[in-house]
Amino acid sequence: MGIAAIIILTLCGSLAFGQGDTLHIPEVIISATRTEKKLAAVPMPVLLVQNREIKLTGASRLQDLLAEQPGLSVVPQVNGFGNGLQVQGLNPDYTLVMVDGEPIIGRLTGNLELNRFALGNVKQIEIVKGPSSSLYGSEALGGVVNILTQSAAYNKLLAEIKYGTHQTFDLGLQSHFRHRNFSMAAFVNHYRTDGFDLFENNFGQVISPYSNTTVHLKPKLELKAGHILTLDSRWFREVQDNRYQVISGNDSIKVSGSAYVEDYSLNPRLKYKLGSDAFLNFHYYLSRYHTKTNLFEIEDDILYYTDEFTQMFQKPEGILNFKLHEKHTLTVGTGMHLESVSTSRYGDAERKKQESFFLFAQNEWTPDEHWELVGGLRFDRNRVYGNQWSPKFAVQYKWNEKLSLKASTGTGFKAPDFRYLYLNFKNAAAAYSVFGTEQVVAQLRELEEKSEIQMYFTDPEDIGVLDAERSLAFNVGLNYRWNNRFELDINVFRNELEGLIESIPVAVTTNQRNIYSYDNIKKAFTHGLEITWKGKWENGFQIMASSQWLVAKDKELVKAIEDGQVFGRDPLTKESYRIHPGDYFGLYNRSRHTETLKLFYTPSNAKWDASFRITYKSKFGIQNSAGSVQGINRPSSDINGNTILDRYDQFVNGYFLMNASIGRIMGPYFYMQCGVENLGDYTDPYNLPQLPGRLLFVKLNFKLYKNNTI
């Protein structure tokens, strides 16, 4: 465990500690149906992470929290850096991440960097598993993560300071003000770290130093007759200090430079009360994401690499919620998506645009105390890809107070975005290139004319126009509750996918630069089983254990293997051999088994709390990881050269991650928490460079002012 970890946990254990200003939030979820609904009454597979769990774990960034949730998997990007969220085995591209019900833009190689989001003002996080396109459109093909932030209920002023390994500081200030019919929730967060390194003899670091600042303002005005006007605004800016060593053929180049990311959004909303059971909501959401990177050769200060990316997104929307009578709740909505991108990654200065129109309707029907039915239908019209209908139906039968059965089915749809079509991204810092399908053939021809192609992994003639991605999903589950203290949840899922877009290795250049593009896997599937058991006792002890078994495969490849048409080649003997069905592992970045165990201790009559969490991921494959990363030349993970993941290839070994925390209330205004992440100090520098090893932290919360009187 290490002397430092023992000292810091012993120090915290000797202090006083407790529940503090605990707010018991009822288990109500909004994202699954776009109406407030008790968690137990939602007939889809959903997960709710409340503010209390966030505080107990000491997590301050979204990635740390989601990595511990059952059925979710944080996976690396195509080049091994950065992370995205995988739900039911579907790529991070298909999980819609929202803040207060509005989508977050700015994805890198399809993944949304989860560390952009601070948790200091989060009320709860709602996760809907399975396609939610009937409500949210194409981005929600795999699921939805909705981060709900706190509104001002009473006047208070809170401060939070967290210090950890690698000179990591996380500072937060939260202010709630309420007077008569006006309220304002304000949150400011500043985060900085020196980064870390896993290769002592290499120039630069795996994660370079960076800092970011978040400002979130949430004013609300309650008008006459029950109408509510809000103006939600969020601003984020990150600055990175990059230093790399790049190996290109026989050359080793040291580069340095800065990068910044800026993201802001503005969201005025009007909730107009039409009657006791009817509301009309008008939303206008505007978001801009911008990033710029400049790297210079250290030896002669020549510009080595530059990159700039700007994305604009607008969404006007109107939603009507009303009860037809006490058994039917109807939700209808309409709106538009207006999106544009301009970037040096696309090889020209022309701004690319997309527009779409949508209309949706949903009915929630409760015929009696046993049944809960939800049916929805959405129509999307994209001027490039035409029309798409997305239906969904879910049903829950409550057998008795203890046992309920759930089933849902729905379709998802995702049109290829700008990146898949027009990307012209040459990452000199990591020695790889990614080209969209409209760019890759011309780029390969240009390299061929210069005799710079060493080997093809994919025939260029097979790279064509991308189709839209579609899915059909089924979820069947059982929930058993006993004495309001123990709960068992079982869910079986199946996702049938057509035209699934995957990044594919296309070629490698003579200077060992990998070239990637995109292709549709004509038919694929993911299916699996999720089991979660929860228990709580009167002494404050809580336990949650979950397990997911997952299989994800290319259906056409399965057929080709069964027909004896797929082969591998021994890298030493150069002899070919046939791949058998049992040799094929499946799609990349998917573990067959993922387990989670969480232990929480929150005694009601004491001033302290504690948590211990373990996650396990079984082995998985990373897509052809050959090339230079952080100055290290890595051999190809595709050992037998057939571009599929089979048992002959190099896998990432299964691993455990253990996290713990302990905290104590020190009087009415002060709370102290200490913790350790990755207690076992697990690292895998080549395959999982985002894992820095053991991290220690101390967190202090100050209640500067509180007044419950409105």
Side-chain angles (χ1 to χ4, degrees), residues 32 60 63 117 147 217 226 459-460:
S60 58
Q63 175 180 306
F117 306 102
I147 306 164
L217 302 177
D459 188 343

Side-chain angles (χ1 to χ4, degrees), residues 341-356:
V341 167
S342 59
T343 174
S344 58
R345 301 177 189 179
Y346 294 167
D348 56 44
E350 183 181 351
R351 181 180 294 270
K352 309 293 194 280
K353 297 181 180 180
Q354 280 195 13
E355 298 177 1
S356 62

Side-chain angles (χ1 to χ4, degrees), residues 8 31 104 119 147 188-189 246 275 379 381 400 409 414 485 530 554 621 642 672 702:
I8 199 168
S31 307
I104 298 297
L119 299 176
I147 306 164
V188 179
N189 176 267
V246 181
F379 170 75
R381 178 174 178 81
N400 51 43
T409 182
K414 189 177 189 305
R485 292 172 55 189
E530 295 178 358
D554 177 349
N642 58 7
M672 181 177 184
F702 301 90

